[in-house]
Amino acid sequence: MCGIVGYVGPQQALDVVIEGLRRLEYRGYDSAGVAVVAGGEINSRKKAGKLANLEADIASNPLERSSTGIGHTRWATHGAPNDVNAHPHLSEDGSIAVIHNGIIENFASLRDKLIGEGVSLRSQTDTEVVAHLLAKQVLVTPNLGDALREVCQSLTGAFTLVVVQKDNPDLVVAARRNSPLVVGRGQGENFLASDVSAFIAHTRNAIELGQDQVVEITPNSVKVTDFQGNPVDVVEYEVTWDAAAAEKGGYDLFMLKEIAEQPKAVADTLLGRIDLSGKVSLDDLALDKKFLKNIDKIIITACGTAYHSGLIAKYAIEHWTRIPVEVELASEFRYRDPILTPTSLVVAISQSGETMDTLMAMRYAREQGAKVLAICNTNGSTIPRESDAVIYTHAGPEIAVASTKAFLTQIVALYLFAMYLAQTRGTGFGEAASEIALELASMPNKIDLVLDTAQGVKKIAEEIHNANSILFLGRSVGFPVALEGALKLKELAYMHAEGFAAGELKHGPIALIEDGLPVFVIVPPVEDELHDKIVSNIQEVRARGAKTIVLAEEGDESINEFADHIMRLPKCPSLMQPLLATVPLQIFSCEMATVKGYDVDQPRNLAKSVTVE
Ligand code: F6R
């Protein structure tokens, strides 16, 4: 939430910052702003709305050339998304500019104190107080880094703060607590950003910043300390993907590109981790075998789409390992006094690795003595760094706000972990292991087949785009797929959609069925014991007037007479079907949003990487 960029070096800072903001716009798009340091002044410009508004404003009235700049794209928390509340926020004398991601929880008392001291605040944001506090602090400790360290000690909540000062043309200073910040180390230039995509076109060398740290960058130096000023050893790493991976690459939409990348994302997540005999190698998994053998309970915690991947994985983990699994929304988990012991394993799933609800849930679990395994797509992000172990998904950068390829790779990573656990504990599933390995290995090709045939959903979207509501039904692993289909539709097409366990219909939701109501049904493979039951469910809703859109495997003719539309899926075992059935639902929601004229990559009110609770 909120994208942040900082730059010092020989390039025109404004260009680097705007380019970085363009790559980070998926993090928030309520308003955007920049500040550059030039001629002993700070020049700032900010505009409500998307980055394009800011760019148009700057084009009509250019800012001065500068070697030092910061930029921000906002997802509003405190104060409406207007020009005044947009970042940067300046001190009263204009000597200091601040951008911020997060929430300063004690801002109200700080604001009241500042007002009492005669400071006039211009905005409704929590951020502005930091600019005024810093302006006061540099009078006491003139070094900007020292001043920021001091101010940070008076703040509570979550923040990444990035600061420039008018008399310091080659310095950008930043602080981090609970919100993301990475450093890009270049040659004679350095970068700061919420994530590496902002500077990947300039350098692949990145530095992770830890909790409660301050970084000072000049063109030729990067200095990291804790809030007390003690030097900190940093971890530098190389980003494995390049700028092209974060571009649309010929697609109209990031989401369509990311949907199309799913076969590769799944293949990359499997690569080198499983052989065709079913042997799983997770060599870098930092959980010792003794602990794995003693686990007596697994709790999966995550949000949104990542939570749905956990719901799917529960079926596989319990089936293959016989360890009980609970799946819990991260925002609920730590508020219910969960029972955790040293033999509990908490699995935290997060594409971004920064989701605050998930981060807080896993921290809580560790405090209670449980071990935490992260399933994550973002190298060096906070959740894997604070976990006992991590399995990275190799989906590549996911830019569209609606998660697609990360979801499929989360399921794959969790399945690999389940197999590894079964293997380690000797809950051998013998012959089955090699069958599962073969099936997993065939998934990239099968997803490709689904992509080839799923384009028909465009016609369905055109036909039903005026519906008031759409329902999704599934059973077993098809149930979380139904939840995911409904979530995608809500977030992209802004319409009521709900996923139900098909068996629950008769206990209430069937009352919703009326003439013409579109109902998607995910039908398990013919040999699944639930197949015939769900075919009955299709008949029940059809008899009450529903328009049925049925996802069923090739050759399943039993559904033909009850389906208004059929989407065919390649044959596979039930546990693998979510990797195929989800894909047409992703494309459908994308098409629905397009037909309705909505912004697919940046849906309203949302942001990628939700760094507030
Ligand atoms: C939905 C979506 C969100 C995320 C959720 C968790 O399409 O993208 O529901 O899945 O905010 O995000 P991560 O996985 O980054 O923790």
Side-chain angles (χ1 to χ4, degrees), residues 255 302-308 349-356 358 375 377-378 383 398 400-404 406-407 410 484 487-488 491-492 606-610:
M255 185 172 170
C303 305
T305 290
Y307 167 73
H308 295 157
I349 312 167
S350 176
Q351 186 287 128
S352 61
E354 301 292 349
T355 299
M356 188 60 75
T358 312
I375 304 291
N377 195 42
T378 310
I383 289 172
E398 193 179 67
V401 165
S403 189
T404 52
F407 176 67
Q410 283 158 357
E484 176 60 9
L487 174 64
K488 283 284 153 306
E491 65 178 328
L492 297 176
L606 296 176
K608 194 93 178 157
S609 186
V610 183

Side-chain angles (χ1 to χ4, degrees), residues 22 50 73 88 114 119 127 134 139 152 164 167 177 201 217 224 255 287 299 317 342 391 426 435 442 488 527 561 589:
R22 201 171 295 124
K50 295 206 171 173
T73 173
L114 285 165
V119 175
T127 309
L134 275 170
L139 300 175
C152 284
V164 287
D167 303 322
R177 170 182 287 165
I217 61 166
V224 184
M255 185 172 170
L287 289 175
I299 302 178
I317 301 173
I391 300 175
E435 274 167 38
S442 73
K488 283 284 153 306
E527 71 270 15
E561 61 180 300
S589 59

Side-chain angles (χ1 to χ4, degrees), residues 355-371:
T355 299
M356 188 60 75
D357 292 313
T358 312
L359 176 63
M360 290 303 169
M362 59 144 289
R363 276 189 188 158
Y364 175 85
R366 291 195 82 204
E367 280 160 23
Q368 304 304 307
K371 290 232 184 300

Side-chain angles (χ1 to χ4, degrees), residues 470-489:
I470 296 185
L471 305 186
F472 295 77
L473 306 180
R475 292 185 86 140
S476 176
V477 285
F479 170 40
V481 173
L483 295 175
E484 176 60 9
L487 174 64
K488 283 284 153 306
L489 201 56

